[in-house]
Amino acid sequence: MRWYVRAMAKYPRVREQHIAVFGEGGSGKTVLVSSFFGPTQEGSYSNDLWDLVADDTGQGNRLYQNYLGMRDRARTPLTTRFAGTTYYFSVKLKGGDNAAAKKRPFDTLRLAWHDYPGEWFEESPSSEEEANRRVDTFRSLLRSDVALLLVDGQKLLDNTGEEERYLKSLLTNFRQGVLRLKDDLLGDEDRLVEFPRIWIVALSKADLFPDWDVYSFRDLVIEKATDPLDDLRSTLKDFVDTPDALSVGEDFMLLSSAKFELSAAGPEIDVTQRVGLDLILPVASMLPLERRVQWNERMEIPRKVLDTLADGAETLAEVLTGETFLDINKLVAKLPKFGPLASMAGLPALAAAAKMAGPKLREINAQAREHHDFLTATLTQFKLNLDQGVKDKLLIRSLK
């Protein structure tokens, strides 16, 4: 997740976060992003904290068109092939004219959703131009802290009783695809400092398994595909500086864009039956903050890595806890870039924000809403949603 304040102008003040989505062709990536965005554009949609807009109007119209095709005509979007796309969405906070808005550090959260073509993991490049495009597309998503690796629910169902065949093929193809990019991505660098650090294994089309919770999915993957998952983890560790600050196959998630059914009258799609998509923003914004604290507490992390890991975490913690980071920022400037003190910057305050939960979190959220502090209300709501996703057994967060 790369957060920054837009430097070209004072307004709008923007924080940006990135998420990378990987999956084979037909795994439902286009349907997912359409169902993430589409419902927020309906006339009946209501959100008292923020509005979601697509930064590119044409892109937004196409995604909403996809959603309307599912909602009104039970028609799924056309499959995209060999097209690497980044979608930019802005979460625009409400209450821009009130007193709390003038004090908040930013007004807009931008989500960059990187969709990496699944075919590029299944087939070799057909030309040097395509090979270069694959490298450039992968480089564009290196700013992501969170990556989703989709397991296609339909293919899992098609391989009932032999799920290991599909899972091994999926993970091996992905590993080999990444290995093909390794030399070009590393260049003259020994290891990459900036690289997705949290790799969530996510079941797409989870509606095909109505009796499953996320633990059912996790248990199947571990039972059937531990070795290829370990191989993928080892490969990704070879890419990164401080490889212990990397979670691969420790977090799991259920995702479904809608409920798809066949009836005597033909296909039916109930777009109101979505699973996990409301967790995308909380996962992208809150999970890196939590993981940074977890890693910081058990290992020594170089400053150059810390600066890219959940960048802007201090600002998030300030909003969540109401603490000021002026003294902490002065301390950070004096800390060494290496050594035992390098990773301690702001840790107590960050830990307080990352571990905030239960009644205290709900109290801060309620107070923020009462005082029309839309930023604090939004971030605490994201954290509440993340906790609820765990309680609802839609998400497993690594404890390491």
Side-chain angles (χ1 to χ4, degrees):
M1 177 181 61
R2 172 49 48 119
W3 296 81
Y4 70 94
V5 176
R6 181 183 290 177
M8 292 184 296
K10 185 176 180 181
Y11 296 101
R13 297 168 297 180
V14 177
R15 292 282 179 178
E16 189 168 282
Q17 58 200 61
H18 292 243
I19 190 167
V21 182
F22 299 98
E24 293 178 318
S27 60
K29 297 190 301 297
T30 302
V31 177
L32 279 175
V33 70
S34 300
S35 293
F36 166 78
F37 177 69
T40 67
Q41 306 306 299
E42 293 182 297
S44 59
Y45 179 78
S46 176
N47 189 308
D48 60 340
L49 299 176
W50 45 266
D51 296 304
L52 186 69
V53 302
D55 288 9
D56 183 302
T57 302
Q59 210 176 55
N61 285 343
R62 285 188 291 275
L63 291 177
Y64 191 46
Q65 181 184 48
N66 291 341
Y67 174 76
L68 292 175
M70 290 189 288
R71 188 192 72 180
D72 300 336
R73 303 182 183 278
R75 182 183 64 207
T76 56
L78 294 175
T79 301
T80 57
R81 289 179 58 83
F82 302 103
T85 306
T86 297
Y87 304 93
Y88 288 95
F89 304 104
S90 288
V91 178
K92 297 196 171 182
L93 301 171
K94 295 186 177 181
D97 296 328
N98 65 27
K102 296 176 182 178
K103 297 178 181 179
R104 65 194 185 197
F106 54 92
D107 307 292
T108 299
L109 294 168
R110 178 180 294 137
L111 175 67
W113 177 309
H114 300 279
D115 184 341
Y116 195 85
E119 294 80 10
W120 285 354
F121 293 120
E122 302 169 60
E123 305 175 23
S124 299
S126 59
S127 65
E128 183 178 354
E129 178 186 355
E130 183 183 320
N132 292 335
R133 192 163 73 250
R134 294 186 184 194
V135 174
D136 291 341
T137 303
F138 203 98
R139 279 201 186 105
S140 71
L141 56 80
L142 291 180
R143 288 178 290 176
S144 306
D145 275 342
V146 177
L148 297 181
L149 179 55
L150 300 184
V151 173
D152 188 334
Q154 183 62 61
K155 290 187 178 180
L156 207 57
L157 194 62
D158 293 342
N159 286 273
T160 300
E162 297 181 317
E163 295 90 350
E164 65 274 10
R165 294 178 57 187
Y166 163 60
L167 292 171
K168 181 177 180 180
S169 173
L170 169 70
L171 296 170
T172 300
N173 285 341
F174 182 73
R175 175 176 172 269
Q176 291 176 343
V178 173
L179 279 173
R180 284 194 290 268
L181 302 174
K182 185 175 181 180
D183 290 342
D184 291 309
L185 288 174
L186 292 181
D188 296 331
E189 299 180 67
D190 180 44
R191 298 288 183 101
L192 294 173
V193 171
E194 193 166 49
F195 192 81
R197 299 275 176 170
I198 304 169
W199 292 76
I200 302 175
V201 182
L203 175 65
S204 69
K205 308 176 188 176
D207 56 291
L208 296 173
F209 300 89
D211 297 329
W212 279 18
D213 59 28
V214 71
Y215 290 93
S216 306
F217 172 56
R218 190 273 311 271
D219 291 352
L220 179 77
V221 172
I222 297 302
E223 179 188 1
K224 303 286 188 177
T226 288
D227 289 343
L229 192 58
D230 286 346
D231 291 341
L232 174 60
R233 184 181 302 111
S234 296
T235 295
L236 293 177
K237 281 189 171 184
D238 288 340
F239 277 77
V240 296
D241 190 303
T242 315
D244 286 341
L246 182 74
S247 295
V248 180
E250 299 175 18
D251 304 82
F252 293 83
M253 190 173 182
L254 297 186
L255 291 170
S256 178
S257 305
K259 187 171 181 59
F260 296 79
E261 291 183 318
L262 283 175
S263 67
E268 297 179 357
I269 302 177
D270 184 353
V271 296
T272 65
Q273 300 296 310
R274 304 185 308 149
V275 175
L277 291 185
D278 291 340
L279 295 176
I280 294 292
L281 284 169
V283 160
S285 56
M286 294 292 109
L287 201 58
L289 169 64
E290 293 182 359
R291 200 60 45 86
R292 172 172 164 171
V293 169
Q294 288 171 223
W295 288 335
N296 226 343
E297 289 179 332
R298 69 177 176 86
M299 76 179 76
E300 188 176 309
I301 302 178
R303 277 286 305 282
K304 63 179 181 178
V305 174
L306 196 66
D307 288 344
T308 65
L309 180 59
D311 188 32
E314 288 82 3
T315 301
L316 286 181
E318 179 180 351
V319 173
L320 285 166
T321 64
E323 299 291 340
T324 176
F325 280 78
L326 292 177
D327 293 335
I328 290 173
N329 289 334
K330 292 177 182 177
L331 173 62
V332 170
K334 297 178 181 179
L335 285 173
K337 293 186 177 181
F338 301 96
L341 294 178
S343 63
M344 296 304 294
L347 183 57
L350 290 178
K355 297 176 181 179
M356 190 184 300
K360 179 63 175 179
L361 183 60
R362 290 191 290 272
E363 178 187 348
I364 293 175
N365 179 263
Q367 290 177 349
R369 288 174 179 273
E370 181 181 350
H371 295 105
H372 304 292
D373 181 354
F374 292 92
L375 177 55
T376 300
T378 295
L379 294 183
T380 51
Q381 188 62 54
F382 283 172
K383 202 155 178 12
L384 287 167
N385 291 347
L386 205 60
D387 293 343
Q388 190 62 47
V390 172
K391 291 178 183 177
D392 293 340
K393 298 183 180 180
L394 302 177
L395 174 69
I396 294 176
R397 287 183 291 190
S398 171
L399 299 178
K400 293 173 60 180

